[in-house]
Amino acid sequence: MARKKVQAIIPAYNESENVDELGRQLTAVFDSEPDYDFEALIIENGSFDDTWEKLLALHERDPRFKIVQLARNFRMDGGLTAGLSVADGDAVILMTADLQDPPALIPTFLRYWEQGYENVYGVVTKRNGTNPVRRMNSQLFYWLAGRLTDDRITRNASDFRLLDRATYEAVRGMEERNRFVRGLVSWVGFKSIGVPMERPPRFAGESKAYTLKVIDLAFKGIFAHSYVPLRLITMLGFVLSGLALIAFVVFLIRLFAFGVPFDGYGTLVSLLFLGFGGVLLVLGVLGEYIGLIYEEVKQRPNFIISNKVGL
């Protein structure tokens, strides 16, 4: 019987300092699982350091390491999508190049896959080497995403995961432009299980998960997978109407008890504060959804491949 093929999909953006160690650790894992044929599909994601040159050298040393070079940086989810587009294995493993997704956990993923699980994902129990702001952002995102998507986005679930062919082909077939791979995998379903893991600090180099970019990704992930914010607009209308009524009664009482600077003062103040605040909030939510629609209508690709090595 032919051995099953497992491919690791690894976006790499300015990861020159991690390439050699990544190759060493993956090689050790590949060699420890002789029942499988392994490949590493490393997505060179528009780096401007010497990541590309080091990846070429890695490929020369071990042909199991194959490279897909993108025309520019398409961020993490664009890189993962590019990798999925060329994958043909019985399963894929999605992970990062900074070694915060420990390759040593891959055999555990394989054991669960052998038991019939089609989506085996890491659940981060502790983030080492991460500043308090980043940890707070992560906790807030998962809490909010869970509440707005009926817990379809699992709390503390990582992109680090093994996907069976049926699962990754279902995700690959979804052509929406606003990619949030974790959300897409959760949406398609299939038999899933989470594996607790501690996220180690980066092996080397600087994190690319800047706060503003993380917040932007979080908003896109939530808005692309939930209509709850739109429904909240209706609730907001009722709440503002109630507050306006209360404010009107309060100012009416003050009118008879103390007088006011001029006729209609209370009404104007209540309407200005409540009305403008509500309108701006509503426009902001609608603007986010319109922006997502705009991206879909343009039909631009999620990535552009400029070169392939070993494929």
Side-chain angles (χ1 to χ4, degrees):
M1 185 175 66
R3 295 191 299 181
K4 290 186 175 181
K5 182 179 180 180
V6 179
Q7 296 171 304
I9 298 176
I10 313 167
Y13 175 58
N14 291 338
E15 296 292 355
S16 171
E17 297 173 271
N18 294 310
V19 167
D20 291 336
E21 180 64 18
L22 174 68
R24 188 191 68 79
Q25 292 192 26
L26 284 175
T27 298
V29 171
F30 293 171
D31 293 344
S32 71
E33 295 284 343
D35 294 334
Y36 293 98
D37 287 328
F38 286 97
E39 288 182 356
L41 305 179
I42 304 183
I43 315 304
E44 198 288 291
N45 206 350
S47 302
F48 51 81
D49 61 4
D50 62 346
T51 296
W52 170 248
E53 289 75 17
K54 288 194 173 182
L55 289 176
L56 289 175
L58 179 60
H59 170 72
E60 290 297 322
R61 294 195 299 270
D62 189 339
R64 292 178 297 181
F65 290 85
K66 306 178 186 301
I67 315 168
V68 176
Q69 185 179 38
L70 301 186
R72 64 169 176 82
N73 180 257
F74 286 89
R75 302 177 69 169
M76 178 70 174
D77 289 274
L80 293 175
T81 303
L84 289 173
S85 74
V86 299
D88 60 0
D90 297 287
V92 297
I93 296 168
L94 309 183
M95 59 186 298
T96 58
D98 58 12
L99 295 170
Q100 288 191 288
D101 296 336
L105 197 59
I106 291 176
T108 302
F109 286 0
L110 292 172
R111 302 293 85 81
Y112 280 108
W113 182 42
E114 292 166 355
Q115 296 173 30
Y117 289 98
E118 297 160 294
N119 171 28
V120 185
Y121 57 91
V123 178
V124 180
T125 58
K126 184 178 180 181
R127 291 178 168 84
N128 295 301
T130 304
N131 64 62
V133 174
R134 179 72 177 88
R135 290 196 296 270
M136 182 186 68
N137 288 341
S138 296
Q139 294 301 319
L140 180 60
F141 163 72
Y142 282 112
W143 175 82
L144 189 59
R147 296 296 295 270
L148 297 182
T149 63
D150 296 326
D151 291 321
R152 285 199 304 272
I153 298 178
T154 305
R155 187 178 182 87
N156 291 323
S158 170
D159 280 319
F160 186 30
R161 63 185 65 221
L162 180 148
L163 301 178
D164 182 77
R165 183 194 291 272
T167 307
Y168 81 73
E169 285 187 344
V171 173
R172 181 167 63 186
M174 303 170 73
E175 298 182 354
E176 58 193 77
R177 268 56 191 169
N178 296 285
R179 309 291 289 183
F180 184 63
V181 173
R182 267 171 284 177
L184 296 179
V185 173
S186 297
W187 188 89
V188 299
F190 293 96
K191 188 176 182 181
S192 306
I193 188 170
V195 178
M197 57 171 276
E198 282 195 22
R199 171 158 285 170
R202 288 179 61 88
F203 178 78
E206 295 182 357
S207 173
K208 314 305 185 297
Y210 303 116
T211 298
L212 292 180
K213 290 185 177 181
V214 170
I215 292 174
D216 177 62
L217 176 63
F219 273 112
K220 285 187 175 181
I222 291 172
F223 285 121
H225 292 274
S226 175
Y227 298 110
V228 172
L230 287 174
R231 298 191 183 106
L232 289 176
I233 291 177
T234 302
M235 296 177 59
L236 178 65
F238 284 110
V239 171
L240 289 178
S241 298
L243 291 175
L245 179 61
I246 293 172
F248 179 77
V249 172
V250 169
F251 280 114
L252 187 64
I253 294 173
R254 288 177 59 86
L255 168 66
F256 291 106
F258 308 105
V260 292
F262 55 85
D263 292 340
Y265 172 79
T267 304
L268 287 175
V269 171
S270 59
L271 289 178
L272 285 173
F273 279 100
L274 295 173
F276 285 143
V279 168
L280 290 175
L281 178 60
V282 169
L283 289 177
V285 172
L286 291 177
E288 290 290 337
Y289 280 102
I290 292 172
L292 295 179
I293 295 170
Y294 177 59
E295 290 294 330
E296 297 295 329
V297 170
K298 285 190 296 187
Q299 292 288 295
R300 290 179 182 173
N302 291 299
F303 57 89
I304 298 174
I305 295 176
S306 63
N307 202 357
K308 295 180 183 179
V309 177
L311 290 166

